[in-house]
Amino acid sequence: MTGPNGLGDLMRDPDETIRRMDDWAAGFAAKAQRYQAAQEQTERLRLTATSSDGAVSVTVGADGTVTDLTFSNKVKSFPLEELSRQILTTMRRAQAGIADRVAGVMAEQLGDEDRETRGLLLDNLRGRFPDPDEPDEQPPAAPGPVPPAPAGGAAAPQPPSRRPAPTDDEDNNPW
């Protein structure tokens, strides 16, 4: 590798070697700054969806976590099952927009850099937060069989009760 622009040329011209290394380091630092800016902008993303009747509004962050949940007075008359369904449906609608918004941030901050990495990240987000209007690939699993009641009228064994989650006052208490 001693032809033009090869290693041999760099060895003969130390100033050129230093210039190229400085250019490489500057390019690497600029790329790191663009990725840092993309990360910061992504962390500030918030997506909000509202149920079709306006009763429920859910805001999520770029990681899919719920950051805000609001209700209109309409929910006072909802059966609990309907309220639960509306919350989850609206949350999923908000989450479904995450991949597109992150893609926009990445395009703005990174341009065409690292297309493969971007594709993998966005595919992961689309897999985690699919469009709720698309049917599930797998139908929900049917509930398992109910075991028969024991003979002789004895009560069926109950599963062990779970300890309630600690409150804020208890979670750091070592005793």
Side-chain angles (χ1 to χ4, degrees), residues 8-148:
D9 289 343
L10 291 177
M11 296 303 285
R12 284 187 276 269
D13 187 355
D15 291 335
E16 176 65 12
T17 302
I18 290 171
R19 186 190 66 73
R20 286 187 181 185
M21 290 178 70
D22 287 346
D23 288 349
W24 177 82
F28 189 74
K31 186 175 186 175
Q33 286 177 338
R34 288 190 302 275
Y35 272 88
Q36 181 67 33
Q39 178 183 355
E40 289 170 0
Q41 195 171 345
T42 298
E43 288 173 354
R44 289 190 303 268
L45 281 179
R46 296 292 179 264
L47 295 92
T48 301
T50 302
S51 62
S52 58
D53 62 2
V56 176
S57 183
V58 180
T59 301
V60 298
D63 61 353
T65 58
V66 175
T67 60
D68 193 27
L69 173 64
T70 58
F71 304 108
S72 75
N73 285 332
K74 292 179 184 180
V75 301
K76 290 180 181 179
S77 63
F78 284 15
L80 292 179
E81 296 81 15
E82 173 64 13
L83 179 59
S84 296
R85 186 192 63 72
Q86 283 218 15
I87 292 169
L88 291 175
T89 299
T90 306
M91 178 190 71
R92 289 180 186 123
R93 284 186 39 237
Q95 291 171 333
I98 291 172
D100 289 340
R101 292 284 298 274
V102 170
V105 168
M106 293 179 83
E108 177 185 324
Q109 295 295 329
L110 306 175
D112 286 336
E113 284 183 35
D114 298 330
R115 287 183 186 192
E116 186 175 335
T117 302
R118 180 182 312 175
L120 290 172
L121 172 70
L122 296 176
D123 287 348
N124 178 282
L125 288 173
R126 286 183 187 105
R128 289 177 52 207
F129 307 117
D131 185 348
D133 297 327
E134 294 178 8
D136 291 337
E137 290 180 23
Q138 303 244 344
V146 177

